[in-house]
Amino acid sequence: MMFLNHSLAMLSLLVAASTVSAFTTTHSGRGVGWTTTPSSSQLKMATWSDARAVREYQEFLASGKQEIEKMDDGPSIIVAPHPTSEHGSSELADALVLMGMGDDVVVTPDQELPDGLGERSSYPIYITLPPHELNDFLLNMPDSFKNRREDLVFFSGGLKYGNIEGVLKDRGYSRDAQTQVLISGMDVRPMGVVDVSIKIGIASNGEDKWAGECVACGKWLGSIERRLEANNIRCKTGFYREFKRDMWERTLYDAVFNLVGAIRSEPTTLADVAMYYEEEVSDILWEMSGYLRGSRALTMTYGFEERLLELAESTGDETQCTIVDNMYPYLFEPFSYCKKFMEYVTYAQVECGLLPTAIIERPSQAIMDRPPLIRPGNLRADGVI
């Protein structure tokens, strides 16, 4: 069944690339006053602009894997930011220790791995470093880590961990066997770690539909799933291809909803954005979805817009929209070729004083005026062409 789902997902991607029709909107942002004019329907660039996406799928087919192997939780290594770290926080590391069984070992990035860990010869190594420190760690990791690459577990999601796909791919860590965890489905509070995912309805097959849950993939997905679920935290598991869709969906949420709300003259919550600026959010989401489909051969999962709006409206009534300056490379920069989105980013920096240290390299006007990489079509969640 898992193999069939992969094949169907790939088929939908091919259909998206070959049968889509033109879709454009004219929109004036509330309080901002920008207008997007209809773009040409001419397709000038190759849809499969990232050959790695095709290669990853071919490798998955060649592996013959149809079931996910899950390992039990147990003693683990947790790499926490150094106490003197400028940007790091030990909050996630502390939460993992709290949810464990009292036999984890916490180290800092400059320390070697211990010779052993109880009776376990193989164990997960949770890397809880913020993205600003992750690249340096991967370049300069102690020798004892270098032979344990497949045991490294990376975290993404939310305003603290963002989207680290670029960092991992540059160092060869973004692949099927590598364990990654989308951690934004939980929150660390004074009373402990709590689940912040929501049930949004019943699917046509009778299963519950959820939004905002934790997600894991890779070798140690079973260990982190059991650790989270033992503490009443939902954790969906799957292959890397499914994880990528969930990770990018969360990136859309963290980037778009916070950006649209943060530029307002009055304090605005995520729930406010969902209720009062839905049209703006929707336009940007679909622009970015088309960009991901054309540049990364990645099609968002059906109903993503509905899930994100439901998540914001249900859980964001007390969460002020926030833009974290040093997270620009991990939330906003991946979409620097999205015209409407970058208009908002530029407005945030120039008119609102946000992102003061971010170096925003806008593509040339000729590139920004090009038609979309792929013509958006009939893959909207609401069925509108």
Side-chain angles (χ1 to χ4, degrees):
M1 181 60 71
M2 182 66 69
F3 185 81
L4 178 60
N5 289 339
H6 269 277
S7 300
L8 291 175
M10 193 62 181
L11 179 60
S12 68
L13 183 59
L14 294 173
V15 171
S18 59
T19 65
V20 290
S21 58
F23 167 76
T24 57
T25 60
T26 301
H27 164 65
S28 178
R30 297 179 180 86
V32 179
W34 294 308
T35 301
T36 300
T37 57
S39 60
S40 165
S41 63
Q42 184 179 2
L43 185 62
K44 293 185 178 180
M45 299 182 68
T47 299
W48 295 102
S49 57
D50 189 346
R52 290 177 296 186
V54 181
R55 185 171 65 251
E56 288 167 1
Y57 187 68
Q58 291 172 335
E59 290 173 352
F60 166 76
L61 293 177
S63 72
K65 291 184 178 180
Q66 299 185 33
E67 299 295 334
I68 298 176
E69 300 177 4
K70 294 187 177 182
M71 301 185 187
D72 290 332
D73 190 18
S76 307
I77 296 293
I78 300 174
V79 180
H82 197 278
T84 60
S85 169
E86 179 181 357
H87 302 295
S89 166
S90 64
E91 183 178 78
L92 177 56
D94 294 341
L96 290 172
V97 171
L98 180 65
M99 293 187 290
M101 295 176 284
D103 47 10
D104 298 317
V105 175
V106 180
V107 300
T108 54
D110 56 340
Q111 292 180 299
E112 297 283 354
L113 293 173
D115 294 334
L117 198 60
E119 298 180 355
R120 302 188 84 178
S121 59
S122 180
Y123 47 82
I125 304 171
Y126 296 116
I127 311 299
T128 67
L129 304 177
H132 327 87
E133 299 180 8
L134 182 58
N135 186 60
D136 184 62
F137 170 75
L138 296 178
L139 282 173
N140 303 288
M141 68 173 67
D143 291 339
S144 57
F145 283 82
K146 294 178 180 178
N147 295 326
R148 304 292 303 275
R149 289 169 60 101
E150 67 176 15
D151 294 320
L152 302 184
V153 179
F154 300 101
F155 295 90
S156 61
L159 301 183
K160 295 180 180 178
Y161 290 89
N163 186 313
I164 59 173
E165 182 176 273
V167 177
L168 297 184
K169 278 197 170 184
D170 287 346
R171 305 299 165 201
Y173 286 90
S174 192
R175 48 199 172 89
D176 283 331
Q178 201 72 58
T179 307
Q180 296 190 54
V181 185
L182 185 67
I183 205 65
S184 45
M186 70 176 217
D187 191 22
V188 181
R189 298 177 181 174
M191 73 289 293
V193 184
V194 298
D195 187 294
V196 293
S197 63
I198 60 168
K199 179 180 174 182
I200 61 173
I202 305 294
S204 58
N205 61 1
E207 296 182 355
D208 293 339
K209 293 197 300 182
W210 292 85
E213 59 195 330
C214 291
V215 188
C217 70
K219 175 180 177 179
W220 293 104
L221 60 81
S223 296
I224 190 65
E225 176 192 33
R226 288 178 169 84
R227 181 167 297 208
L228 294 179
E229 293 191 343
N231 290 271
N232 300 311
I233 309 295
R234 285 186 55 81
C235 184
K236 181 171 72 171
T237 57
F239 288 105
Y240 174 55
R241 291 190 61 81
E242 282 87 19
F243 175 85
K244 283 180 63 176
R245 291 187 174 89
D246 291 319
M247 176 187 63
W248 281 103
E249 182 174 308
R250 181 67 198 201
T251 305
L252 294 183
Y253 179 82
D254 293 330
V256 175
F257 282 79
N258 280 289
L259 177 62
V260 170
I263 62 173
R264 308 298 154 183
S265 59
E266 298 292 333
T268 304
T269 67
L270 293 173
D272 291 335
V273 173
M275 291 186 289
Y276 304 118
Y277 303 104
E278 179 181 350
E279 183 181 350
E280 290 181 54
V281 167
S282 180
D283 284 352
I284 299 174
L285 287 176
W286 284 102
E287 176 192 44
M288 296 163 84
S289 171
Y291 173 73
L292 290 173
R293 200 160 68 238
S295 65
R296 297 178 183 269
L298 179 73
T299 300
M300 302 307 295
T301 307
Y302 177 83
F304 78 97
E305 183 183 20
E306 172 197 2
R307 285 191 297 275
L308 297 186
L309 288 167
E310 287 273 4
L311 181 63
E313 188 169 349
S314 299
T315 67
D317 57 335
E318 297 182 359
T319 305
Q320 295 293 322
C321 294
T322 304
I323 292 182
V324 181
D325 185 34
N326 60 21
M327 288 299 290
Y328 177 80
Y330 314 103
L331 287 176
F332 303 101
E333 192 172 55
F335 303 104
S336 60
Y337 281 81
C338 295
K339 182 177 181 180
K340 179 178 288 294
F341 177 72
M342 288 309 295
E343 289 175 346
Y344 277 70
V345 170
T346 301
Y347 183 89
Q349 186 179 61
V350 175
E351 301 295 335
C352 304
L354 302 172
L355 298 168
T357 66
I359 300 175
I360 301 177
E361 299 181 359
R362 288 177 59 88
S364 67
Q365 192 60 44
I367 292 178
M368 294 296 283
D369 288 341
R370 284 179 181 174
L373 294 174
I374 182 171
R375 290 173 291 178
N378 58 357
L379 294 180
R380 290 184 64 116
D382 56 10
V384 176
I385 295 177

